[in-house]
Amino acid sequence: MKINPWGSELIKDYEPLFNEFGLQHVTDEMRERFEKNREFRRGIVFAHRGFDDYVKAADEGKRVAVMSGIKPSSEFHLGSKLTAEEIIFMQKEFGAAAFYAVADNEALADNGMGCEETAPLAVSNVADLLALGLDPDNAFVYKQSTCLPVLNFAQLAARRTTMATLEALYGHQNLSLYLAVLTQAGDILQPLFKENGFERVVVPVGVDQDPHIRFSRDLAAKLGYPLPAAAFHRFFRALNGETKMSKRDPDSMLSLSDSADDVKRKVSKALTGGRSTVEEQKKLGAEWRKCVVYELMFYHFEDDDKELEKIRTQCETGKIMCGECKLKRIKKIQDYLKKHQEKKKKLMPKAEELLEERACGMEAD
Ligand code: SF4
């Protein structure tokens, strides 16, 4: 079994990942402690590496950080939203300092997009992050291409890495992707660099990114850093239900910049668990487990568990047909995005300010 961070395949069964790659289960105790957080409560965050040690360190009052980032190759999509919400949760829950890498070097490596193309997307992405609730006073937002300590670390990491290791983790890739991997290890470990002085870092991330986490943990062990922890979330399926959402196919996903018309057009075509005729659906009910429209509510747009239960009940008892159900969910998403986009507009200048070139890292206390 291989996990490909750049691929579009869905993982149908998550269970083998625990045995094969040594992921740790999110325990009931963790779920209870963090039940206010939608991702933990609903099992969207389902696995981790070393998150228990991270929590312990935070409880003991150690300086902790949370690290993640975005490749500025498109507008913020729902996968980026999930990660952003987890960063914001760690900031609030543990007082963690947030390190957010705008991976413009990776956009060049993976998508061939130069900085002129990615710069406006980077500002837009960071404004989305702020509108979702990031506290900019406890955050360090930076572009990979301007962060010398991270770029220097990639050189150091290259000295400690063989091609065999990279091929075993990622398969045959071109050298620019391997370089992006080395740089990303620098992003992940940066909070632990002496000049930043954090004692633990956690990376909230989709489980498809686990090869980066394993690679960074191996490097950390070789270089004498504490191992970075990770909290993994499940994939959100593309709207057609068949693949992972992909930035390369804008119609496969919703973005936080979508207009009301975009939402209507995309969600109207999304996969449901509806039956082939109205009569059949009235008699048998529909199958919300197969339905991407239900997943949109579960993962993103319905915080209230009772409302979710209502959707399930109406669905499986055939009380509502998919057409009517979709219209209600479309309205909910349109309302959410309208509010978000109003907030984001006001935060664009702050995003620009955060991305201005400046010294890299956060001062140690
Ligand atoms: Fe999905 Fe709603 Fe249809 Fe059920 S009724 S399958 S939740 S669209």
Side-chain angles (χ1 to χ4, degrees):
M1 186 173 189
K2 262 220 179 327
I3 307 180
N4 178 3
W6 301 290
S8 60
E9 311 80 26
L10 278 176
I11 293 178
K12 298 232 162 67
D13 181 7
Y14 288 94
E15 224 30 56
L17 300 179
F18 291 94
N19 278 337
E20 198 147 338
F21 297 115
L23 296 191
Q24 296 167 267
H25 285 93
V26 164
T27 59
D28 290 345
E29 198 186 334
M30 280 180 190
R31 211 162 283 135
E32 271 164 37
R33 172 162 172 187
F34 305 125
E35 71 164 357
K36 282 203 196 104
N37 176 272
R38 187 180 63 236
E39 284 92 15
F40 274 93
R41 185 174 72 245
R42 293 188 181 162
I44 296 168
V45 174
F46 72 106
H48 69 98
R49 287 191 190 275
F51 187 56
D52 41 0
D53 290 339
Y54 177 89
V55 172
K56 191 163 168 270
D59 286 347
E60 286 167 2
K62 297 197 167 135
R63 279 187 93 212
V64 294
V66 54
M67 190 279 141
S68 196
I70 190 164
K71 191 173 61 165
S73 56
S74 74
E75 294 293 352
F76 225 74
H77 68 35
L78 296 183
S80 324
K81 171 178 172 287
L82 214 52
T83 307
E85 286 170 341
E86 288 166 42
I87 294 172
I88 293 159
F89 164 70
M90 305 286 180
Q91 259 194 335
K92 288 190 179 142
E93 182 71 25
F94 305 115
F99 282 67
Y100 197 73
V102 174
D104 52 350
N105 278 6
E106 189 174 341
L108 182 62
D110 192 17
N111 306 77
M113 293 171 72
C115 53
E116 275 185 15
E117 216 178 332
T118 54
L121 286 166
V123 174
S124 174
N125 291 167
V126 172
D128 277 310
L129 178 68
L130 292 168
L132 288 168
L134 183 89
D135 172 6
D137 294 331
N138 193 19
F140 170 55
V141 178
Y142 65 97
K143 286 185 190 169
Q144 271 180 337
S145 61
T146 61
C147 192
L148 203 53
V150 163
L151 298 174
N152 286 344
F153 182 87
Q155 296 288 328
L156 177 68
R159 274 177 59 77
R160 308 300 291 261
T161 306
T162 63
M163 285 301 282
T165 303
L166 292 171
E167 282 180 9
L169 275 168
Y170 298 101
H172 284 294
Q173 303 291 349
N174 69 43
L175 285 179
S176 69
L177 284 184
Y178 289 151
L179 187 55
V181 165
L182 295 165
T183 310
Q184 198 170 118
D187 290 322
I188 290 173
L189 298 179
Q190 182 179 207
L192 307 169
F193 293 174
K194 203 161 77 208
E195 58 272 27
N196 294 319
F198 291 91
E199 292 171 83
R200 287 285 189 281
V201 62
V202 64
V203 187
V205 74
V207 71
D208 56 332
Q209 305 297 309
D210 183 47
H212 299 319
I213 301 298
R214 277 184 274 149
F215 179 61
S216 303
R217 283 169 70 90
D218 283 352
L219 269 178
K222 281 181 195 161
L223 297 169
Y225 290 109
L227 303 190
F232 296 108
H233 54 250
R234 293 173 196 270
F235 290 133
F236 182 77
R237 290 185 292 164
L239 294 173
N240 65 14
E242 283 165 17
T243 52
K244 250 174 20 181
M245 267 186 321
S246 165
K247 288 183 174 188
R248 292 171 224 269
D249 174 9
D251 269 8
S252 73
M253 58 176 196
L254 291 180
S255 114
L256 296 193
S257 302
D258 278 347
S259 66
D261 284 348
D262 292 331
V263 172
K264 192 166 174 212
R265 178 175 51 81
K266 291 183 187 180
V267 178
S268 298
K269 286 191 291 190
L271 179 80
T272 69
R275 305 284 178 182
S276 32
T277 64
V278 170
E279 290 68 39
E280 204 184 328
Q281 187 150 335
K282 279 188 179 158
K283 197 167 145 209
L284 302 173
E287 298 175 279
W288 54 266
R289 283 184 185 81
K290 291 186 183 166
C291 178
V292 176
V293 180
Y294 174 78
E295 266 178 32
L296 282 168
M297 296 298 116
F298 181 85
Y299 276 73
H300 291 285
F301 297 108
E302 184 51 79
D303 271 335
D304 186 337
D305 290 351
K306 289 209 178 97
E307 282 303 317
L308 260 189
E309 200 185 318
K310 242 193 240 170
I311 297 174
R312 286 197 300 269
T313 310
Q314 288 190 325
C315 173
E316 63 195 7
T317 55
K319 292 254 157 35
I320 193 164
M321 298 299 110
C322 291
E324 184 192 347
C325 185
K326 271 183 171 173
L327 286 181
K328 288 189 179 178
R329 312 311 153 213
I330 286 170
K331 172 86 175 61
K332 179 110 191 166
I333 299 168
Q334 287 170 332
D335 289 349
Y336 175 94
L337 290 185
K338 186 165 179 272
K339 266 193 217 138
H340 174 84
Q341 287 163 10
E342 283 164 6
K343 235 193 265 175
K344 173 183 171 179
K345 205 169 160 193
K346 294 189 191 131
L347 290 161
M348 290 291 277
K350 183 71 188 172
E352 274 176 34
E353 185 196 312
L354 288 175
L355 281 168
E356 270 169 22
E357 279 185 42
R358 57 188 171 140
C360 216
M362 284 178 112
E363 295 281 311
D365 279 344

